[in-house]
Amino acid sequence: MRKGIALTLALLMLLMLLMLSGCAGKQEPAADNTSVVVGFSQLGSESSWRIANTASMEKAAKEAGYSLMMENANQKQEKQIDAIRSFVAYRVDVIVFSPIVETGWDNVLNEAKQAGIPVILMDRMIETQDDSLYTSYVGADFYAEGRRAGEYLVRKADALGADHLRIAEIHGTTDSTPMRDRQRGFMDVIARDGRFEVIDSVDGDFLRSKGEECAEQLLEKYGAEGIDVIYSHNDAMTLGALDILEQKGIRPGTDILLITVDGEKDAVDALKAGKINCVVQCTPNLGPAAMELVRSLTSGETISKVTHPEESLFTDFDDLTDPSVEGF
Ligand code: AHR
């Protein structure tokens, strides 16, 4: 009897082992790319967008099996330059970086070029006479985002029958790509339309705290009656401004129209609540595309110079109960 039980148990264990090994056999083999080292210079942690972008890069590198050496520059260009120098000294395989501003990179990128290390610009561009200093750019088309914001405002003015709208702009970090291009795209759409007047443009540095300060200053200078629209270059600053409006008893989205860029959850929720009028999307999820570029580069394939993700916008003209209307 005992022998019978022991035999049954042994058979059961054997069966379980076979099942486990069968399951293991069906799993995807783990990528073994750990010898590929990617040096990643992130510019900071100024917004939820940036935090999500960092997470996307880390996750995608892990899934691809790459070793990611990440340095966060805390909004300091000098720190990014130091980080890139250390990646060159370490002889990483590829450098990925998100430049805080567009200018001032030629020297350090020349050092990377001399060392034969390809550079991928992720999220933001640089201004240079020498395009060979970077291999590829992956990130949003910020000019198109600015245009979408402007096109929304034209549509809104039509719907309201407005003949004069005074716009205050809260812009992102001075001389950064999203600041320059979101401003240019927006202006290109509204500049020749006599209904629109940009009364001010203030620097909110993509920070929520500065968005609050900017809103305070603007309200002090123009009063709630003197501003019809706030066009803010990111959700962090918009949410800061929104708090200030509410504290002062001004109804955001009604007394002052709010146009924002990014699409984080809190901003999309505020749109659904009628406190923001337009959210232009900018995806932080650039990790998979960046790592695909690393893969192509390290496999010797040619890669495209520019890759833009698909992006759209959510506005108060849309059916906001649609499940596709959601933030990150
Ligand atoms: O470069 C992308 C911008 O940077 C995002 O719009 C903003 O939230 C971030 O700080």
Side-chain angles (χ1 to χ4, degrees), residues 43 46-50 98 123-124 142 145 178 182 205-206 233-236 261-262 282:
L43 66 87
E46 75 282 7
S47 59
S48 299
W49 189 99
R50 186 66 50 198
S98 180
D123 166 41
R124 296 186 182 179
F142 297 116
E145 290 176 353
R182 285 174 186 164
D205 208 10
F206 288 125
H233 287 193
N234 86 342
D235 289 344
V261 189
D262 275 356
C282 177

Side-chain angles (χ1 to χ4, degrees), residues 135-244:
T135 311
S136 190
Y137 165 74
V138 55
D141 181 342
F142 297 116
Y143 177 76
E145 290 176 353
R147 286 196 68 95
R148 276 181 210 123
E151 283 155 6
Y152 163 78
L153 188 57
V154 170
R155 186 175 173 199
K156 188 73 181 175
D158 291 344
L160 293 172
D163 55 11
H164 186 210
L165 290 178
R166 291 151 303 176
I167 304 158
E169 179 185 53
I170 304 181
H171 68 73
T173 308
T174 299
D175 289 338
S176 66
T177 319
M179 178 266 159
R180 287 179 167 182
D181 289 356
R182 285 174 186 164
Q183 184 172 74
R184 202 165 50 87
F186 182 75
M187 288 308 294
D188 279 356
V189 173
I190 63 151
R192 276 180 297 277
D193 188 325
R195 291 175 295 175
F196 304 115
E197 181 192 0
V198 178
I199 53 170
D200 216 332
S201 179
V202 287
D203 185 358
D205 208 10
F206 288 125
L207 293 166
R208 187 171 182 138
S209 57
K210 289 249 181 100
E212 291 174 10
E213 283 171 28
C214 289
E216 292 266 16
Q217 284 165 21
L218 290 166
L219 289 170
E220 213 166 283
K221 201 163 161 189
Y222 302 98
E225 320 69 39
I227 304 170
D228 301 303
V229 182
I230 292 180
Y231 169 43
S232 156
H233 287 193
N234 86 342
D235 289 344
M237 300 186 298
T238 309
L239 293 167
L242 191 154
D243 284 347
I244 297 299

Side-chain angles (χ1 to χ4, degrees), residues 52-283:
N53 175 249
T54 302
S56 167
M57 289 291 290
E58 286 175 334
K59 183 165 179 269
K62 194 169 173 206
E63 281 173 4
Y66 298 139
S67 302
L68 190 72
M69 283 177 73
M70 191 187 95
E71 293 288 339
N72 190 318
N74 296 318
Q75 264 74 32
K76 300 257 180 308
Q77 183 172 28
E78 317 81 75
K79 280 196 166 194
Q80 283 204 283
I81 292 174
D82 287 349
I84 294 168
R85 286 219 165 97
S86 74
F87 297 151
V88 172
Y90 192 86
R91 304 228 161 256
V92 299
D93 296 288
V94 180
I95 291 172
V96 181
F97 95 113
S98 180
I100 181 150
V101 289
E102 291 201 332
T103 52
W105 304 103
D106 281 30
N107 288 344
V108 73
L109 292 187
N110 249 312
E111 291 167 29
K113 186 178 168 184
Q114 296 312 315
I117 302 173
V119 171
I120 295 171
L121 302 177
M122 189 275 300
D123 166 41
R124 296 186 182 179
M125 269 298 289
I126 57 167
E127 188 183 300
T128 179
Q129 299 297 318
D130 181 0
D131 275 3
S132 73
L133 291 181
Y134 66 94
T135 311
S136 190
Y137 165 74
V138 55
D141 181 342
F142 297 116
Y143 177 76
E145 290 176 353
R147 286 196 68 95
R148 276 181 210 123
E151 283 155 6
Y152 163 78
L153 188 57
V154 170
R155 186 175 173 199
K156 188 73 181 175
D158 291 344
L160 293 172
D163 55 11
H164 186 210
L165 290 178
R166 291 151 303 176
I167 304 158
E169 179 185 53
I170 304 181
H171 68 73
T173 308
T174 299
D175 289 338
S176 66
T177 319
M179 178 266 159
R180 287 179 167 182
D181 289 356
R182 285 174 186 164
Q183 184 172 74
R184 202 165 50 87
F186 182 75
M187 288 308 294
D188 279 356
V189 173
I190 63 151
R192 276 180 297 277
D193 188 325
R195 291 175 295 175
F196 304 115
E197 181 192 0
V198 178
I199 53 170
D200 216 332
S201 179
V202 287
D203 185 358
D205 208 10
F206 288 125
L207 293 166
R208 187 171 182 138
S209 57
K210 289 249 181 100
E212 291 174 10
E213 283 171 28
C214 289
E216 292 266 16
Q217 284 165 21
L218 290 166
L219 289 170
E220 213 166 283
K221 201 163 161 189
Y222 302 98
E225 320 69 39
I227 304 170
D228 301 303
V229 182
I230 292 180
Y231 169 43
S232 156
H233 287 193
N234 86 342
D235 289 344
M237 300 186 298
T238 309
L239 293 167
L242 191 154
D243 284 347
I244 297 299
L245 297 189
E246 288 196 316
Q247 278 167 29
K248 295 191 183 293
I250 302 160
R251 291 169 304 165
T254 305
D255 299 331
I256 297 183
L257 305 178
L258 288 187
I259 303 176
T260 188
V261 189
D262 275 356
E264 66 178 76
K265 189 176 178 308
D266 286 353
V268 175
D269 287 350
L271 171 74
K272 290 178 182 173
K275 297 178 178 187
I276 287 180
N277 305 85
C278 169
V279 177
V280 177
Q281 278 182 311
C282 177
T283 180

